[in-house]
Amino acid sequence: AASIYELKKVATAESLQPYVLLSDLLIGYSYRLLNSYGKAEHIYNNVYAKAKQSSLFFIVHLASYFIADLAKRLSVCIADFNEFYYSN
């Protein structure tokens, strides 16, 4: 995670918006791996909005993928919870 943050700092200093947004997606992914889904969702949605506003469509598509992956994982978690909760 430290190297991703360093990439973001350098990209910000050099005004390399696609790399800033890409590093934000990776930071959001790190939060998802830590099961901090709300924080990951917030980051993904911010990246999506900024990329769309800047016409960075490759980043828009990447953000859409990350958002869909998070939604899929959340639906699996909810299904597992419901199965556990209602079966006991």
Side-chain angles (χ1 to χ4, degrees):
S3 58
I4 295 170
Y5 186 69
E6 284 299 316
L7 168 66
K8 182 178 177 175
K9 286 183 4 185
V10 170
T12 301
E14 298 294 326
S15 299
L16 299 171
Q17 186 67 9
Y19 293 103
V20 172
L21 295 175
L22 180 61
S23 52
D24 282 342
L25 282 176
L26 294 174
I27 291 168
Y29 182 72
S30 297
Y31 279 113
R32 197 221 14 108
L33 291 177
L34 295 172
N35 296 329
S36 185
Y37 299 125
K39 202 160 206 162
E41 180 183 22
H42 180 75
I43 291 170
Y44 293 162
N45 288 333
N46 282 345
V47 169
Y48 180 88
K50 288 177 186 175
K52 191 171 182 181
Q53 181 182 9
S54 301
S55 299
L56 297 170
F57 295 112
F58 178 68
I59 303 295
V60 169
H61 291 296
L62 278 176
S64 297
Y65 171 81
F66 280 96
I67 291 167
D69 179 63
L70 180 63
K72 178 182 171 187
R73 292 185 185 280
L74 286 176
S75 67
V76 169
C77 290
I78 291 169
D80 288 346
F81 172 78
N82 285 337
E83 182 181 328
F84 172 77
Y85 182 76
Y86 292 115
S87 68
N88 290 329

